[in-house]
Amino acid sequence: MFTRNNAHAQVVKNTFIKAGASEADLEPHFDDIFSTLYNRFSSKEGYELFPDVTSTLKGLSAQGVRMGIVSNTDERLAKVIVSLELDPYLDFVLLSAEFGEEKPSPRIFERAIDIANERIVATNKVTNATVPLLTAAEALHVGDDETKDYQGALSAGMNAVLINRARLSYEESAPQFAAARGRNPDRPVVVHSLRELLDINVEGGKGRRREMILPRA
């Protein structure tokens, strides 16, 4: 059953009006228009994955890295993740609309660590394993917004990497190379493809990378 979200509806309506449509002409058809757009962007029909996404998630999963998504968006993203067949690689999807706070608030990053640890506890009970709980220093957040993703994660005590697919590779490099080349510590650590994450190690409290928080697809 379709239910109009007033905030989303207003954004869509404003977009049409700015494009030249009159509110009087738009209103009789608006529910149908909005329903079509809302449903389209609730599935893979409204999105296309970058070619490095699925292969990187598979590779990280094979390395034993636990992964989740933290996103400033609404409940549609969870449906999109399933539609894109990415959910087998993820332990959780944390949405700001459901949590009540957005990045860069450190609280949403802290909640991500809590959820990851809840999964670890549940897995330990099932498998009788003794995997230790995760600390923020063992987590890596990857995002494309310097303030919301990079600085937000750092403020919560996580490691962070900024993904910038538009920049040339020689302008910045992955952490292990940047450190060797004397990268300015005040500038964000940048990768240009998710595949670079396969070679990044986060030295946390127990000296191993255990959790990766990814940007939304």
Side-chain angles (χ1 to χ4, degrees):
M1 180 178 177
F2 169 73
T3 302
R4 182 196 289 197
N5 179 295
N6 289 334
H8 295 151
Q10 194 59 52
V11 170
V12 172
K13 182 175 289 187
N14 289 343
T15 300
F16 276 95
I17 291 173
K18 288 179 181 178
S22 72
E23 189 163 359
D25 290 337
L26 185 61
E27 190 57 38
H29 312 287
F30 185 71
D31 278 349
D32 289 339
I33 293 171
F34 181 70
S35 176
T36 299
L37 289 173
Y38 187 90
N39 290 330
R40 178 176 176 79
F41 287 97
S42 296
S43 74
K44 65 181 180 181
E45 296 303 317
Y47 301 88
E48 183 175 353
L49 287 174
F50 285 102
D52 58 349
V53 173
T54 301
S55 61
T56 299
L57 295 186
K58 286 181 179 179
L60 292 170
S61 181
Q63 292 180 21
V65 177
R66 306 180 74 98
M67 292 172 283
I69 288 180
V70 178
S71 183
N72 288 354
T73 189
D74 58 58
E75 71 282 352
R76 289 176 295 171
L77 182 61
K79 299 176 183 178
V80 173
I81 294 299
V82 173
S83 182
L84 291 170
E85 300 180 353
L86 299 179
D87 52 306
Y89 309 110
L90 303 172
D91 281 325
F92 64 89
V93 177
L94 177 57
L95 307 173
S96 62
E98 296 178 349
F99 178 65
E101 295 201 41
E102 294 188 341
K103 298 178 291 184
S105 169
R107 285 183 284 274
I108 195 168
F109 294 100
E110 291 163 358
R111 179 56 185 151
I113 296 296
D114 290 342
I115 295 173
N117 282 329
E118 289 169 5
R119 301 293 187 271
I120 291 173
V121 170
T123 301
N124 284 348
K125 288 182 178 179
V126 172
T127 63
N128 292 318
T130 56
V131 176
L133 296 183
L134 180 75
T135 67
E138 295 174 296
L140 174 66
H141 180 77
V142 185
D144 59 6
D145 187 289
E146 184 171 345
T147 299
K148 295 176 182 179
D149 292 308
Y150 190 83
Q151 298 298 338
L154 293 181
S155 72
M158 290 182 178
N159 300 278
V161 167
L162 191 67
I163 184 165
N164 186 343
R165 297 177 184 275
R167 295 182 63 178
L168 298 176
S169 61
Y170 61 75
E171 293 184 73
E172 191 62 273
S173 54
Q176 64 268 40
F177 301 116
R181 295 163 66 181
R183 182 185 62 79
N184 184 343
D186 294 328
R187 294 180 60 195
V189 174
V190 177
V191 296
H192 309 284
S193 166
L194 289 180
R195 292 191 184 97
E196 294 180 63
L197 302 177
L198 295 168
D199 299 318
I200 293 178
N201 289 313
V202 173
E203 295 300 322
K206 296 186 169 42
R208 62 189 181 280
R209 180 185 58 184
R210 296 175 53 212
E211 179 79 17
M212 190 167 292
I213 313 297
L214 299 171
R216 67 177 184 180

